[in-house]
Amino acid sequence: MRSTHSRQANHALATALAALLVAPCAARAQSAGTYEVTPELIAAAEKEGKVVWYTSADTEVVERLANDFHAKYPKIEVSTERSGAERNFQRINQEYGSDLHVVDIYEASDAVQFPIFKRAGWLAKSLPAEVVKLWPKNGVDPDGEFATARANLSVIAYNTKFIKPADAPTSLASLLDPKWRGKMVKAHPGYSGTIMTATYVISHALGWDYFEKLGHQRVMQVQSSSDPPKKLALGERPVMADGNEYNIHILAEKGVPVVPVYAPEGTPFVPGNAAILKDAPHPNAAKLYFAYIYSLEGQQGLSDVGGLRSLHPGVKEKAGRVPLSQIKLLESDPVALEKEIETIKQKYEQYFGT
Amino acid sequence: MAPESSAALAAPARGFDAFRPLAGLLIAVLAALVALPFFWLCWYALTDAKGAFTTANFIALATDPTMTKPFVLALAMAACVSALSCAIAAPLAWLVARTDMPGRGAVRALVMASYVTPPFLGAVAWEFLAAPNSGLINQAWRWAFDLDPFDALVDIYTFEGLVFVIACYTFPYVFTLVATALDRVPTDLEEASAILGARGARTLSRVTMPLVLPALLAGALIAFLQALTMFGSPAILAMPAGFHVITTKIWSLFQYPPRLGLAAAASFPLLIITILLLRGQAWLLGRGNYAVVGGKSGRARPTKLGAWRWPAAGFAGIVLGLTVALPYLALLKTALTSEVAGPLTLDSLTLHNFHFVLFELSSTRLALRNTFLLGFGAATIGVVIALAAAWLVARGKSRLTGALGFLAMAPVAIPGVVLGVALFLSYSRPPLQLYGTLWILLIAFLTIEMPAGYQQFASALRGLHPELEEASRILGASRLTVLRQITAPLLRANIVAAWCFIFIGAIRELSATILLTTSNTKLVSVIIYDLNESGDLGAISVLGILLLVITFAVVAVANRLPVLGGPPQARG
């Protein structure tokens, strides 16, 4: 629980950020790559019959999104390749390095990757009209090559079966308390885009000193940011030092006794972007599925079932979740982050051993 | 091919003998399988981004503590695994092969079951059992003694835990080698020892042990190399424990920004260690005259254990309980419950995980199809190449065939993760653009499994007297006809065994395939790895069970099929 004082202190900033996130940019000109879902597009997509996407969101969430789409367009199979953002990045680099173009849509929680793809000329200038019209400015690439398909927070969380709310960690700093030694789980920046972003923003907000001390806490290290919430639910560790907020939402709404904590130091905000590849083997099916992901139906599903945050202004958040506007967010700068990746990995290995 | 004309001259009176061209072709195929990846490995290790010569990668390898530490840990881990495997397997093999312990046949069969289990699946199963807090063993421990939450009996996320889990799935190598050697120890030597007044223990230590020592050493070596080059189990257990071994470190070098040169350079110490160990083994075995000369000399008389029969059976039971029964039960329980750590009750019983894997997870069917297609393909092609190579080496006397033997065994020195790197570097560019197809995986499996298949036939052919083949040759058959009509049917049991070995090896493989699969060429092993990364434990259990059930079925059928090794009627 945060103190009233810090809540007030954060409120102004949170409101400003939320305004930035939610205010639609009305005056954006429709660029050449903007498209609508037309009967012709649907027919062409059905003729292709398949769409392949790489994503780093949780397995059940993405398989459900894909199955909902398939139920709507039964003639189109969705092939989902789910893995950590860094793993998928490695894979697409291996593939494109070998001139293999098997993937249509790429989605990842690591915002750094998209400017890199853009520079490499791999992305199509192609966005659904709905995105161009409704998305806030910082959720869309100015050149129309990618947009935020989902947003995620990396949060602290705990299992109430083992920890009373009064004893629970309240802040990032409180995780350094010796009583949490051997009791925490966290994900790895080398494998998870979410955690790479989170490590970057926290190292800037609190300094590397924080991670050095956290490294002495015998933290259980897992790879994907989807995993700490699951280890928490299992009771393998009672506290999660970082990990996906949306998995905590999903678990909590299923009745698993897990609770997120929004640290007064700030909570890392992790935009998950998506793009259509220029050399997509199924360009029309890609456009149709891409539009579905950003549609109100798709986004509401990602929010309801997936527990994710959406930039679609029409999406209604479920009751019981803390609204984004009340959370102090730590936002990252993908271009600056890219230059620091090597340092982050090195420091991290130094402090945590892997 | 050049040697054709001379081959024709060297052939016997009648017909065309394809012996020489076949040898040439096999050498070309094996050389391509081994030499091409090795070339690219050297190239990447020794050049920088601009293609200029550099030793920077090797300097980084020797001086960077994040590189040297994983090496030290991996060597220590491999040594511990090797020692533990021998400590478990040697007594167990003796009990099974030379005593009247009850349930000997069942023990042999269950050890094979442990061999069939992919090590990464075993590691996941042991997470269910021995994770310090959610592990079923620790829960039972706390429940039984009414302890506080977070009091743990065992912790699998430790160096010791990792050693234990790897040993669970490498001890079958030692067991099989030692048990076979014990089966072959001539009883007359032991009887002579007994007649001369030695007691059982003395005969065991002075006669039997020295005779099986080479097998034990070979087993220790294989266990060491398996552990050193293993990727799956460390990838699952070492990271939560907070350390890297060399294979997981090499794998992490592929993450962005990839450091291929360093990854390639890091492969060389592994290669050198492997080659040195194999040399050392050859030297050790060549020094003393360990060969059992007597051949078959009647059935071994089993040692009567007397009152020790049941404790011995208890020991076997514990070993198999830890390596087979408990992990399989843990997988089954996790597959059938909604809550991994919760108790299995009627309420928590669910088929949700099965439904998810079979109907919702989009890659399941493709991966199952690919896995078994490749298993069949690699096993069948691998048996043909290995048999032909072993036969050429055993029956041909030229330098050419000597090279063949070396090439067939060379992949043993290439760890899977290194081979993955090398194959990716070799076949991801024109003119051999195989990355993204099943062919690159087929090549990987063939290369990795070639030594196992080759060794199976090489040792079998040593025990097969050439007189039958010579008789056939005298009657005018060409050498290839002899191989097809005489040798292969005689080796039927070995062919089935080699086929199963390669098939199981392909199913178990994760270290090379993790770098070589794409979305169209997914394998079950890689899906299990990905699902573990995101903590989807129920789905892993279901996939693991499917994989095991199908593998057991295939192995069972393969052992009963009359066609493998030539149907009986073809021998006329």
Side-chain angles (χ1 to χ4, degrees), chain B residues 265-310:
Chain B
S267 316
F268 279 85
L270 285 179
L271 271 170
I272 292 164
I273 292 167
T274 313
I275 291 168
L276 284 179
L277 282 172
L278 290 175
R279 286 261 147 166
Q281 185 205 19
W283 178 76
L284 257 179
L285 295 187
R287 206 173 46 135
N289 187 10
Y290 284 111
V292 174
V293 205
K296 286 177 190 163
S297 60
R299 249 188 88 74
R301 205 153 32 101
T303 306
K304 295 258 186 293
L305 290 174
W308 288 98
R309 282 184 80 210
W310 292 106

Side-chain angles (χ1 to χ4, degrees), chain B residues 144-222:
Chain B
F145 296 96
D146 199 23
L147 299 169
D148 291 335
F150 308 117
D151 276 337
L153 175 68
V154 280
D155 182 355
I156 206 68
Y157 301 119
T158 53
F159 182 82
E160 297 82 0
L162 179 60
V163 166
F164 167 78
V165 168
I166 298 182
C168 279
Y169 303 97
T170 47
F171 92 91
Y173 292 97
V174 187
F175 174 87
T176 311
L177 282 164
V178 175
T180 314
L182 281 167
D183 288 338
R184 283 187 190 151
V185 168
T187 30
D188 37 11
L189 289 179
E190 290 179 314
E191 274 160 10
S193 166
I195 289 165
L196 291 171
R199 286 170 168 276
R202 194 169 162 81
T203 303
L204 188 65
S205 70
R206 296 297 290 271
V207 177
T208 318
M209 288 265 278
L211 285 171
V212 297
L213 198 62
L216 188 64
L217 273 178
L221 182 82
I222 292 180

Side-chain angles (χ1 to χ4, degrees), chain B residues 113-133:
Chain B
S114 156
Y115 174 73
V116 168
T117 315
F120 52 85
L121 195 61
V124 174
W126 269 99
E127 282 191 290
F128 300 157
L129 286 166
N133 302 312

Side-chain angles (χ1 to χ4, degrees), chain A residues 27-337:
Chain A
R28 200 168 318 134
Q30 296 230 333
S31 65
T34 309
Y35 66 91
E36 302 268 1
V37 175
T38 59
E40 293 78 43
L41 178 65
I42 296 173
E46 284 177 339
K47 213 169 148 195
E48 290 167 355
K50 189 182 178 188
V51 54
V52 181
W53 71 315
Y54 292 1
T55 169
S56 66
D58 181 73
T59 315
E60 285 210 53
V61 174
V62 293
E63 294 289 355
R64 173 135 9 179
L65 185 75
N67 286 329
D68 288 349
F69 175 79
H70 182 59
K72 195 168 174 183
Y73 303 102
K75 288 182 187 154
I76 307 171
E77 296 285 340
V78 183
S79 168
T80 304
E81 196 76 3
R82 196 230 87 90
S83 200
E86 305 314 308
R87 173 86 206 284
N88 277 339
F89 186 69
Q90 167 201 344
R91 193 185 319 224
I92 196 172
N93 272 298
Q94 272 180 269
E95 288 173 359
Y96 267 61
S98 311
D99 283 328
L100 269 184
H101 304 138
V102 291
V103 56
D104 296 303
I105 296 172
Y106 187 88
E107 192 273 353
S109 55
D110 185 355
V112 169
Q113 298 176 0
F114 289 83
I116 297 175
F117 290 150
K118 206 173 143 179
R119 283 204 301 273
W122 292 358
L123 304 181
K125 270 194 206 320
S126 191
L127 286 178
E130 204 169 356
V131 172
V132 177
K133 205 167 81 201
L134 300 175
W135 252 241
K137 196 172 149 207
N138 65 347
V140 187
D141 171 45
D143 297 315
E145 297 193 11
F146 57 86
T148 302
R150 53 152 174 148
N152 177 25
L153 307 179
S154 167
V155 295
I156 303 169
Y158 64 97
N159 187 324
T160 55
K161 196 173 139 194
F162 303 103
I163 295 172
K164 287 198 258 349
D167 301 331
T170 52
S171 63
L172 290 169
S174 73
L175 296 178
L176 304 178
D177 189 321
K179 74 174 173 179
W180 301 127
R181 200 174 140 78
K183 299 261 171 26
M184 288 184 282
V185 56
K186 84 185 286 304
H188 196 289
Y191 302 85
S192 159
T194 299
I195 302 306
M196 177 57 85
T197 308
T199 312
Y200 170 81
V201 292
I202 292 176
S203 70
H204 277 258
L206 305 183
W208 276 105
D209 186 45
Y210 166 74
F211 286 105
E212 188 176 3
K213 287 177 185 152
L214 193 62
H216 292 137
Q217 290 281 62
R218 286 186 46 223
V219 182
M220 176 184 186
Q221 181 71 65
V222 295
Q223 299 189 16
S224 165
S225 54
S226 293
D227 203 6
K230 292 172 188 174
K231 291 280 179 284
L232 200 62
L234 269 179
E236 182 44 52
R237 292 290 189 275
V239 174
M240 151 178 131
D242 60 25
N244 290 336
E245 181 205 33
Y246 69 90
N247 289 105
I248 295 292
H249 282 157
I250 298 172
L251 289 164
E253 283 154 18
K254 272 187 195 162
V256 181
V258 290
V259 178
V261 175
Y262 301 98
E265 295 97 332
T267 298
F269 176 84
V270 186
N273 291 327
I276 299 181
L277 275 305
K278 200 165 72 189
D279 294 318
H282 316 100
N284 294 301
K287 276 180 158 180
L288 188 62
Y289 186 52
F290 198 60
Y292 180 78
I293 297 173
Y294 291 93
S295 69
L296 184 56
E297 187 184 345
Q299 292 282 308
Q300 189 68 55
L302 284 175
S303 171
D304 288 350
V305 182
L308 286 154
R309 307 284 184 171
S310 170
L311 297 192
H312 196 302
V315 167
K316 299 212 169 25
E317 293 220 353
K318 263 192 184 174
R321 294 180 191 167
V322 178
L324 208 55
S325 56
Q326 290 176 20
I327 302 168
K328 176 181 172 182
L329 300 174
L330 296 173
E331 284 206 86
S332 93
D333 173 356
V335 179
L337 169 53

